[in-house]
C-alpha cells in the first residue's frame, strides 16, 4: 500500500503576526490618553474658560500641548520589548488618576505620590468604591486590549532609534506650535490656576515619580544630622518631687473651621469647652499647618527647621523626640495611624494594629480611645531611670481621616445625623457629609476628654506633673470649590486644609514647675502660630537646655518670663 506524506501543520511565524508600526501605536495611544485619560483636566478647563470662543481655543490649544508631550514621551519608549509594559503602566496610571481627580478633586504632585507609596491597607480600603473599577475599565480597557493584541513591528535598532527621535521631535514641535498659537489665553490660565499642571495625565505621575526619586532617594541613604547634641535637663529636675508627663496628641485631618472652640455653629467640642471653662484649657485659634498631608506635616511638626527653612522637605535632621531622648527623658510613641513617617524610628513605639478590643477595634482598625487601653503598663515598661526623670508621650490619632468619616466615630457617639456613609463623597448630600465629619471631630473631643481625665488622675495620685498639647497635622476639604480630602499643593491649598486646631492644658503642678502661668498662656491664644512653634515650645516646657532651642519660636517663653517677673499663680479649677 503506497504511503502518502502527512501534510505539515501550518505554522504562523512571529514575523507573520499582525503588528503595529511604532509611529501608529504611539500617536493613537497618545490621542486616547490626551482625550479619555484627561477628562478631569478638560472638565476643569471648560469651567475656567470665559466665552465659547475662548473655551474652544483653550481646549484645542491645551489639547495639542498634552498630545504632543505624551507623544514625545511614548516615542522615546517605542521599542518592541519596552512599549507594551510601559504603555500599560501609563494607561493604568491615567485611569486611576482620573478616578481620584473626578471623585475628590485630587491633583498629582510629588507629595501626593509619596503619600500613595506610604499608604496602608486601611487607607486603601477606605478609598475603594464601585466607581473605581468602572472608571479604570472605561479609560484603560480599550487601549490595553489594542496594545496587547498587536506587538510593535521588529526593526533594527539604528533605524528605530532615528524614528523614535523623530517622533519625539514632532511631539515637541506640536507642543511649541500649540503654545504659540494660544499663548495669551494659555499663559493666563496656567498662571492663575497652577493646579492644572498637576492634572495632566500621565505626565503628572512621571514628573512626580522623577522628582520623588531625585529628591528623596539620596536622602534615604544618608545618616540624619544630629540635633541638640548638647541637650541636657534644666534646673527644675535637680530636686524634683514628681517627674513631668507631657502628652502630645497629633491630630489627623481636623480643620479649625469645624472645631467648636473656634466659634463653629455646632458644639463639636463640648468636653473641651468644659475643660476650657473649668480646668484652664487654652484654645489656640490661629494655627497654620506645615503641609496638607500627613507625609509632610508629621515630620515637619517635630522638625527643628521651620517650613521656610525646609522643614516640609524629606528630613535630613533628627527631630524633637531624638533631642528629648538625648536629654535623658523617656519617650513613647503610640500610633493609631499609618505609621509615624520615620519620626519615631529611634524611640520606643507601639501600634494599635494588633489590638483586639471589642467596641474599640472592629473591622481592622481602632477608634482613638484604644490608645489609652493599657497605657499605664506601656509607661511602666519604659526605662525606669528615664521614666523617673520625665515622660513625653505621643499619641498619633486616626482622628477624622477620610473619606470614610463615618468609621471614625462609634455608633453611640454620633450627635449629628443622618450622616454620609459612602466613601464616594461627591455622591453624598453636603449636609450629611458634614455630619459624618463633625461626628469624627466630636469623637476627637471625647478622646481628648478621656486623655485629660487620665492625666488629671495621674497628677492627683502624685505620680506626675501632667500636661497635654493637641495639634492637628492638616485640615480637610469637604466639597468647597469641588475639592475633597486633602493633599493639594501647599501654595494652592485652601484654608480648610491649612488652618488647624490646637489646644493645651497644664496641670497646676506643671504650671508651677515650668513657670507657664495660665493667664499669660491664654494671652498667646489668638496670636498667629504654626507647626514651626511645637519643637521649641516643647523644649521650653520640658526644660531641656540646648542651643537648638530658639526662644523666638517658643510660644511659652513669654509666659516663663512673666511668671519669673510677677510670680503669677497657676490656674485653679473652679470648686
Amino acid at each position: 500500500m503506497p504511503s502518502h506524506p502527512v501534510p505539515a501543520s501550518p505554522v504562523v511565524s512571529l514575523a507573520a503576526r499582525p503588528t503595529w508600526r511604532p509611529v501608529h501605536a504611539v500617536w493613537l495611544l497618545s490621542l486616547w490618553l490626551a482625550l479619555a485619560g484627561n477628562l478631569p483636566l478638560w472638565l476643569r478647563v471648560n469651567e475656567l474658560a470665559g466665552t465659547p470662543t475662548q473655551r474652544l481655543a483653550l481646549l484645542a490649544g491645551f489639547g495639542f500641548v498634552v498630545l504632543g508631550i505624551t507623544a514625545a514621551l511614548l516615542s522615546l519608549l517605542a521599542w518592541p520589548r519596552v512599549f507594551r509594559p510601559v504603555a500599560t503602566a501609563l494607561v493604568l496610571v491615567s485611569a486611576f488618576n482620573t478616578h481620584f481627580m473626578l471623585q475628590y478633586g485630587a491633583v498629582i504632585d510629588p507629595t501626593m505620590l509619596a503619600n500613595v507609596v506610604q499608604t496602608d491597607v486601611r487607607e486603601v480600603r477606605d478609598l475603594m468604591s464601585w466607581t473605581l473599577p468602572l472608571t479604570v475599565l472605561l479609560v484603560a480597557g480599550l487601549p490595553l486590549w489594542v496594545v496587547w493584541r498587536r506587538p510593535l513591528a521588529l526593526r533594527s535598532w539604528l533605524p528605530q532609534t532615528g524614528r523614535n527621535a523623530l517622533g519625539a521631535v514632532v511631539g515637541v514641535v506640536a507642543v511649541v506650535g500649540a503654545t504659540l498659537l494660544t499663548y495669551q489665553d494659555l499663559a493666563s490660565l496656567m498662571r492663575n490656576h497652577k493646579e492644572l499642571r498637576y492634572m495632566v495625565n500621565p505626565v503628572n505621575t512621571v514628573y512626580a515619580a522623577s522628582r520623588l526619586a531625585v529628591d528623596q532617594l539620596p536622602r534615604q541613604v544618608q545618616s540624619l544630622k544630629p540635633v541638640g547634641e548638647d541637650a541636657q535637663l534644666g534646673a527644675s529636675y535637680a530636686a524634683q518631687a514628681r517627674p513631668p508627663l507631657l502628652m502630645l496628641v497629633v491630630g489627623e485631618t481636623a480643620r479649625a473651621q469645624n472645631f467648636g472652640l473656634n466659634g463653629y455653629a455646632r458644639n463639636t467640642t463640648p468636653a473641651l469647652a468644659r475643660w476650657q471653662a473649668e480646668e484652664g484649657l487654652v484654645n489656640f485659634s490661629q494655627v497654620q499647618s506645615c503641609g496638607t498631608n500627613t507625609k509632610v506635616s508629621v515630620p515637619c511638626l517635630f522638625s527643628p527647621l521651620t517650613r521656610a527653612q525646609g522643614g516640609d522637605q524629606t528630613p535630613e535632621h533628627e527631630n524633637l523626640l531624638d533631642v528629648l531622648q538625648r536629654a535623658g527623658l523617656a519617650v513613647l510613641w503610640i500610633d493609631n495611624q499609618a505609621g509615624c513617617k520615620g519620626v519615631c524610628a529611634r524611640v520606643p513605639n507601639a501600634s494599635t494594629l494588633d489590638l483586639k478590643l471589642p467596641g474599640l477595634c472592629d473591622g481592622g482598625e481602632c477608634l482613638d480611645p484604644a490608645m489609652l487601653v493599657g497605657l499605664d503598663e506601656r509607661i511602666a515598661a519604659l526605662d525606669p531611670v528615664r521614666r523617673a526623670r520625665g515622660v513625653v508621650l505621643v499619641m498619633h490619632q486616626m482622628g477624622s481621616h477620610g473619606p470614610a468619616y463615618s468609621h471614625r466615630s462609634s455608633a453611640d457617639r454620633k450627635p449629628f445625623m443622618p450622616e454620609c456613609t459612602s466613601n464616594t463623597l461627591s455622591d453624598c448630600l453636603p449636609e450629611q457629609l458634614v455630619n459624618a465629619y463633625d461626628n469624627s471631630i466630636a469623637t476627637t473631643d471625647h478622646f481628648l476628654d478621656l486623655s485629660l481625665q487620665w492625666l488629671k488622675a495621674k497628677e492627683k495620685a502624685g505620680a506626675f506633673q501632667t500636661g497635654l498639647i493637641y495639634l492637628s497635622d492638616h485640615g480637610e476639604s469637604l466639597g468647597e470649590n469641588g475639592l475633597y480630602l486633602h493633599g493639594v499643593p501647599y501654595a494652592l491649598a485652601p484654608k480648610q486644609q491649612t488652618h488647624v486646631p490646637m489646644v493645651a492644658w497644664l496641670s497646676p503642678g506643671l504650671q508651677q514647675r515650668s513657670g507657664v502661668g495660665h493667664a499669660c498662656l491664654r494671652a498667646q491664644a489668638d496670636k498667629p502660630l504654626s507647626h514651626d512653634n511645637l519643637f521649641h515650645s516643647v523644649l521650653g516646657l520640658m526644660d531641656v537646655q540646648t542651643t537648638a532651642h530658639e526662644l523666638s519660636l517658643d510660644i511659652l517663653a513669654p509666659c516663663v518670663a512673666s511668671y519669673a517677673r510677677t510670680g503669677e499663680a497657676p490656674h485653679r479649677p473652679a470648686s
Side-chain angles (χ1 to χ4, degrees):
M1 187 174 181
S3 59
H4 299 280
V6 178
S9 299
V11 177
V12 178
S13 68
L14 189 62
R17 290 177 56 189
T19 58
W20 283 104
R21 293 184 62 184
V23 64
H24 294 162
V26 164
W27 284 92
L28 284 174
L29 183 58
S30 298
L31 184 62
W32 178 269
L33 288 173
L35 296 175
N38 278 279
L39 180 60
L41 174 63
W42 306 134
L43 292 174
R44 180 64 174 154
V45 172
N46 187 62
E47 290 176 2
L48 298 173
T51 64
T53 302
Q54 185 185 42
R55 184 179 299 115
L56 181 61
L58 273 175
L59 289 172
F62 204 171
F64 273 102
V65 169
V66 174
L67 175 64
I69 292 173
T70 308
L73 174 64
L74 288 175
S75 293
L76 296 175
L77 302 169
W79 300 94
R81 295 185 179 181
V82 174
F83 183 78
R84 285 202 291 190
V86 168
T88 299
L90 294 179
V91 168
L92 288 174
V93 161
S94 297
F96 277 94
N97 287 353
T98 295
H99 169 76
F100 290 110
M101 288 179 183
L102 288 175
Q103 289 296 325
Y104 304 116
V107 295
I108 312 300
D109 68 336
T111 302
M112 180 65 74
L113 188 60
N115 284 329
V116 172
V117 172
Q118 295 189 4
T119 194
D120 66 3
V121 174
R122 293 178 295 181
E123 292 182 347
V124 171
R125 182 187 59 211
D126 285 348
L127 292 168
M128 291 296 103
S129 67
W130 65 269
T131 56
L132 176 58
L134 179 61
T135 303
V136 172
L137 179 62
L138 291 176
V139 175
L142 178 61
L144 289 183
W145 179 76
V146 172
V147 165
W148 284 95
R149 184 167 175 262
R150 291 186 178 187
L152 294 190
L154 293 172
R155 302 182 187 278
S156 58
W157 72 270
L158 189 57
Q160 189 58 51
T161 300
R163 291 186 179 92
N164 290 357
L166 179 60
V169 169
V170 172
V172 171
V173 169
V175 172
V176 173
T179 301
L180 291 176
L181 288 174
T182 58
Y183 179 77
Q184 193 65 40
D185 290 338
L186 194 58
S188 176
L189 180 71
M190 298 300 287
R191 183 167 53 250
N192 295 320
H193 301 280
K194 296 179 181 179
E195 74 276 7
L196 294 177
R197 70 186 67 181
Y198 301 115
M199 295 181 69
V200 180
N201 282 326
V203 180
N204 49 8
T205 303
V206 173
Y207 168 76
S210 302
R211 276 287 306 273
L212 203 61
V214 170
D215 292 348
Q216 295 197 12
L217 289 180
R219 301 183 186 185
Q220 300 298 331
V221 299
Q222 295 176 354
S223 297
L224 293 177
K225 299 174 183 176
V227 174
E229 291 183 289
D230 59 344
Q232 57 183 347
L233 300 179
S236 64
Y237 292 88
Q240 64 180 7
R242 291 177 293 164
L245 189 160
L246 177 64
M247 180 184 290
L248 299 177
V249 179
V250 179
E252 171 62 40
T253 319
R255 65 186 202 173
Q257 180 175 319
N258 291 58
F259 219 62
L261 293 184
N262 288 323
Y264 185 44
R266 284 178 162 176
N267 191 10
T268 54
T269 55
L272 291 181
R274 186 180 67 253
W275 280 88
Q276 184 182 45
E278 301 175 3
E279 302 284 352
L281 179 137
V282 175
N283 176 59
F284 298 89
S285 61
Q286 303 297 325
V287 183
Q288 295 296 310
S289 69
C290 183
T292 61
N293 59 77
T294 304
K295 160 56 170 68
V296 169
S297 284
V298 169
C300 190
L301 190 59
F302 291 87
S303 173
L305 304 180
T306 65
R307 188 177 190 278
Q309 293 170 335
D312 60 336
Q313 302 301 310
T314 301
E316 295 182 349
H317 296 79
E318 293 176 341
N319 61 63
L320 173 63
L321 304 188
D322 296 300
V323 179
L324 295 171
Q325 185 166 257
R326 178 171 290 122
L329 297 173
V331 181
L332 174 63
W333 179 291
I334 300 179
D335 206 281
N336 192 35
Q337 250 282 356
C340 66
K341 312 307 178 187
V343 174
C344 66
R346 295 164 299 281
V347 302
N349 57 85
S351 172
T352 62
L353 277 176
D354 298 327
L355 292 182
K356 307 295 181 183
L357 302 172
L360 286 177
C361 299
D362 299 314
E365 66 180 54
C366 294
L367 296 171
D368 290 324
M371 290 190 285
L372 297 170
V373 177
L375 188 53
D376 290 316
E377 292 77 10
R378 293 188 189 277
I379 291 177
L382 296 173
D383 181 280
V385 176
R386 291 179 175 275
R387 188 179 66 242
R389 298 189 188 111
V391 178
V392 176
L393 175 65
V394 185
M395 312 285 265
H396 188 195
Q397 283 188 272
M398 178 61 80
S400 301
H401 197 287
Y405 304 118
S406 62
H407 294 174
R408 309 286 96 88
S409 56
S410 58
D412 61 336
R413 291 194 174 275
K414 293 183 182 291
F416 309 108
M417 295 295 286
E419 66 173 0
C420 166
T421 58
S422 171
N423 55 5
T424 305
L425 302 184
S426 57
D427 291 345
C428 296
L429 293 175
E431 58 270 22
Q432 294 185 9
L433 175 59
V434 173
N435 284 346
Y437 182 82
D438 285 350
N439 285 335
S440 73
I441 297 293
T443 296
T444 288
D445 176 70
H446 173 61
F447 169 67
L448 292 176
D449 182 33
L450 295 176
S451 300
L452 288 163
Q453 291 179 36
W454 180 83
L455 289 167
K456 187 177 179 181
K458 287 293 179 186
E459 172 98 5
K460 187 175 181 179
F464 293 97
Q465 296 170 323
T466 59
L468 177 145
I469 297 175
Y470 162 82
L471 179 55
S472 184
D473 62 348
H474 54 78
E476 187 85 328
S477 288
L478 298 177
E480 299 89 357
N481 300 314
L483 295 176
Y484 295 91
L485 303 179
H486 52 267
V488 172
Y490 198 88
L492 310 174
K495 64 180 181 180
Q496 288 87 359
Q497 296 191 25
T498 58
H499 184 198
V500 294
M502 174 180 173
V503 301
W505 173 83
L506 307 181
S507 71
L510 189 56
Q511 287 184 51
Q512 192 164 19
R513 174 196 184 97
S514 64
V516 179
H518 172 265
C520 182
L521 185 61
R522 176 65 187 85
Q524 316 302 312
D526 296 322
K527 293 182 178 179
L529 303 173
S530 73
H531 282 177
D532 294 346
N533 299 107
L534 184 75
F535 178 95
H536 306 280
S537 301
V538 171
L539 289 180
L541 181 61
M542 297 304 290
D543 193 16
V544 173
Q545 305 296 313
T546 170
T547 54
H549 179 211
E550 294 186 27
L551 290 177
S552 62
L553 292 171
D554 182 350
I555 64 174
L556 307 179
C559 298
V560 175
S562 172
Y563 186 89
R565 185 175 61 255
T566 65
E568 174 196 6
H571 178 83
R572 300 291 181 186
S575 58

